[in-house]
Amino acid sequence: TCLIKLARAADIPIDSVFGPGFSGAVQLTDFSSPEELGHWVEERCLRLQTVFGQRRTDTTLRAVDKARTFIAQHYTDTELSVEMLCDHLHLSPAYFSTLFKRETGMSFTAYVTNVRMDAAAELLRNTDEKTYLIAQQIGYLDPNYFSYVFKRQYGTSPSKYRAEHRQSTQ
């Protein structure tokens, strides 16, 4: 009864836990021994645990996907922060940071930096915009800091990156 209540409270289809055609009642005479009954109950508990685990994983992946979408839409905002994102997702920053790092393999800051640097590289390859304007467009107020981060990411300055890319495409 407790397992049925738990499944119903969690909106889990009864047949996914107890099998198709489950009537809602179990007779002791259906089992040859108390051990067999114990194994049957244990198996149902494990099925519930699996469903709960899958839901938790699905929820985690949805939160990370929402975070990626939010970052893609807001990376140009100089005020973008983990707190801003967590306000949007209704998650605590500590919980989110652990979740995000576990799922992406990188911190929020490293992820945002990668997104910004990819956008900067794209702009450097395809526009004649000044470097300081590109820095502003991707969320950096300080063009010197932008150049420092870009060089750390790509091993070359933004202007050299542009020149090298243009040489390779001509």
Side-chain angles (χ1 to χ4, degrees):
T1 304
C2 290
L3 294 177
I4 293 170
K5 287 180 182 179
L6 185 60
R8 285 188 179 147
D11 240 1
I12 297 172
I14 298 297
D15 61 346
S16 69
V17 177
F18 296 96
F22 180 69
S23 67
V26 177
Q27 302 294 322
L28 285 177
T29 56
D30 293 341
F31 304 96
S32 61
S33 69
E35 290 79 20
E36 186 181 341
L37 172 61
H39 290 302
W40 184 88
V41 171
E42 181 180 13
E43 187 179 313
R44 280 18 179 218
C45 289
L46 291 173
R47 286 183 189 176
L48 270 173
Q49 182 181 24
T50 300
V51 172
F52 282 129
Q54 185 61 46
R55 283 191 176 178
R56 193 170 26 255
T57 299
D58 292 348
T59 301
T60 298
L61 293 176
R62 276 196 305 276
V64 171
D65 285 344
K66 286 179 183 179
R68 286 181 169 143
T69 300
F70 186 88
I71 292 166
Q73 294 169 346
H74 295 90
Y75 73 90
T76 60
D77 185 347
T78 58
E79 300 295 316
L80 178 61
S81 66
V82 73
E83 289 79 12
M84 175 194 288
L85 174 59
C86 288
D87 284 346
H88 173 74
L89 296 176
H90 308 291
L91 296 173
S92 78
Y95 173 71
F96 169 77
S97 295
T98 301
L99 189 79
F100 193 79
K101 176 123 186 180
R102 186 178 68 223
E103 294 301 319
T104 65
M106 62 181 72
S107 69
F108 167 81
T109 302
Y111 186 86
V112 170
T113 298
N114 282 345
V115 169
R116 286 176 169 166
M117 291 300 108
D118 287 349
E122 177 79 17
L123 290 167
L124 288 165
R125 287 190 304 266
N126 298 312
T127 72
D128 291 324
E129 289 279 353
K130 302 273 187 200
T131 303
Y132 76 92
L133 292 174
I134 289 174
Q136 290 174 354
Q137 289 175 32
I138 64 161
Y140 288 95
L141 294 175
D142 182 351
N144 293 323
Y145 182 66
F146 161 70
S147 292
Y148 166 77
V149 174
F150 190 91
K151 187 170 185 174
R152 193 178 67 208
Q153 182 92 2
Y154 289 99
T156 188
S157 69
S159 54
K160 284 184 182 177
Y161 179 89
R162 175 179 273 162
E164 290 168 3
H165 183 268
R166 292 223 167 127
Q167 287 176 355
S168 67
T169 58
Q170 292 179 352

